[in-house]
Amino acid sequence: MNSLNGLKIVITAGPTVERIDPVRYITNDSSGKMGYALAEAAQKAGGRVLLISGPVSLPTPEGVIRIDVLSADDMLAACQANMPCDIFISAAAVADFKVLSPSTFKIKKKYDDDSNIVLYLSKNPDIIKTISESKKSNFTVGFAAETHDIKENAKSKIIRKKINLILANDVSDESIGFNNDENELLAIDDQFNEYPFPRATKSKLAAEVIDLIVKLH
Ligand code: C5P
C-alpha cells in the first residue's frame, strides 16, 4: 500500500486575516475544509502532519499538530520556522493584500463629514513561491481557484510559483469549492500531465489527492 511513511508534511489552510484597526479586518470566505481534509488524509497515510491554519471553526484532525496564525506574514513566518519538510501543501486562501499601515486605534467616523476614506493596501508575500524558491520543501503542492481558462491559469501558476503539483478548481460553480463540503479538482503536475478528480466530498478527494502525491513526490 502507498504510504507517506513518516514523511514531514506541512499544510496551510483557511483564510488569513489582515487588520485594519483593533476591531476591523479584511478576510475571505475560506472554510479551511479542503486543507483540513488533506491534513487528515496525510496523517492517515502515515505522514507527520503540521497544519498551519488561519481562523476556522473546524476541529484539529487526530494526530495532527496545528499552529494558529492570523495574517499572511504570520503564516509565512510559521511556515519558514517549520522548514525543512518533505511535502508542502498550500491550501490556504492567503489574502493578496494587507493594509499598509493598520491603525492602533479604532478609526472613528466623522459625523459632520461625508468624504470617503482611503485604505492603502500593499502586496502580501507569496507563501508557496517563497517556500519553493527556498528549496526547503522537496515537493510543493498548490491550489488554483479559477473562474475561467482553468488549465492555462493553473499551468502558468506552476511555472511562476515553481510548484510540483497544482490542484485546480472552478470557483464559478457555487455548489463546489469555497466553503462547500464537495469539490471537483483537476490536478496538473510540472510536466503538465493531467489527473482529473470528479466531484466528491472533500474528504474523499483529499484521500485520492494524497495517493497521487505519494506516487509523484
Ligand atoms: O495566485 P493565487 O492566489 O491564485 O495562487 C493560489 C496558490 O498560491 C494557493 O496554493 C495559495 O495557497 C498560494 N498562495 C500563497 N501566498 C499568497 C497567495 C497564494 O501561498 N500570497
Side-chain angles (χ1 to χ4, degrees):
M1 205 190 104
N2 288 324
S3 163
L4 290 173
N5 232 350
L7 294 182
K8 180 175 171 185
I9 323 291
V10 175
I11 302 177
T12 67
T16 66
V17 165
E18 311 297 334
R19 278 266 161 230
I20 298 171
D21 71 13
V23 296
R24 303 183 180 96
Y25 51 79
I26 297 172
T27 189
N28 60 61
D29 273 340
S30 169
S31 63
K33 284 176 186 164
M34 196 66 228
Y36 275 60
L38 285 164
E40 186 173 353
Q43 197 276 336
K44 283 185 179 155
R48 289 182 292 125
V49 182
L50 178 67
L51 182 58
I52 299 177
S53 177
V56 297
S57 49
L58 293 171
T60 308
E62 215 182 302
V64 167
I65 298 171
R66 169 170 158 188
I67 298 175
D68 288 326
V69 295
L70 291 172
S71 68
D73 283 328
D74 293 345
M75 187 173 271
L76 175 59
C79 291
Q80 287 174 318
N82 286 285
M83 291 296 123
C85 71
D86 296 293
I87 297 168
F88 179 71
I89 305 177
S90 183
V94 184
D96 290 322
F97 295 94
K98 63 185 162 208
V99 178
L100 188 59
S101 312
S103 171
T104 49
F105 303 100
K106 184 181 173 192
I107 300 167
K108 300 295 286 177
K109 65 174 171 265
K110 295 190 181 103
Y111 290 95
D112 52 356
D113 181 353
D114 283 337
S115 59
N116 299 325
I117 72 159
V118 177
L119 212 51
Y120 288 99
L121 303 178
S122 68
K123 240 179 166 173
N124 261 330
D126 192 311
I127 297 173
I128 192 168
K129 187 165 185 272
T130 309
I131 297 297
S132 304
E133 287 177 345
S134 75
K135 299 201 169 21
K136 293 207 167 126
S137 163
N138 284 336
F139 192 85
T140 56
V141 182
F143 276 79
E146 308 292 344
T147 54
H148 61 282
D149 298 333
I150 295 174
K151 280 187 201 175
E152 290 325 303
N153 284 321
K155 285 176 185 172
S156 76
K157 256 167 227 181
I158 292 177
I159 296 165
R160 193 159 15 97
K161 299 185 187 229
K162 304 180 177 68
I163 292 174
N164 299 108
L165 183 72
I166 199 147
L167 305 166
N169 64 330
D170 181 355
V171 287
S172 65
D173 181 344
E174 286 179 8
S175 67
I176 54 171
F178 244 51
N179 219 348
N180 278 300
D181 290 327
E182 293 196 326
N183 207 350
E184 181 182 313
L185 296 169
L186 174 68
I188 306 176
D189 68 18
D190 50 10
Q191 306 301 308
F192 293 166
N193 297 306
E194 297 180 11
Y195 312 86
F197 293 99
R199 184 179 180 134
T201 62
K202 287 182 176 173
S203 70
K204 182 166 185 285
L205 278 179
E208 291 169 359
V209 166
I210 294 296
D211 274 351
L212 179 64
I213 292 172
V214 167
K215 281 183 205 126
L216 296 180
H217 89 270

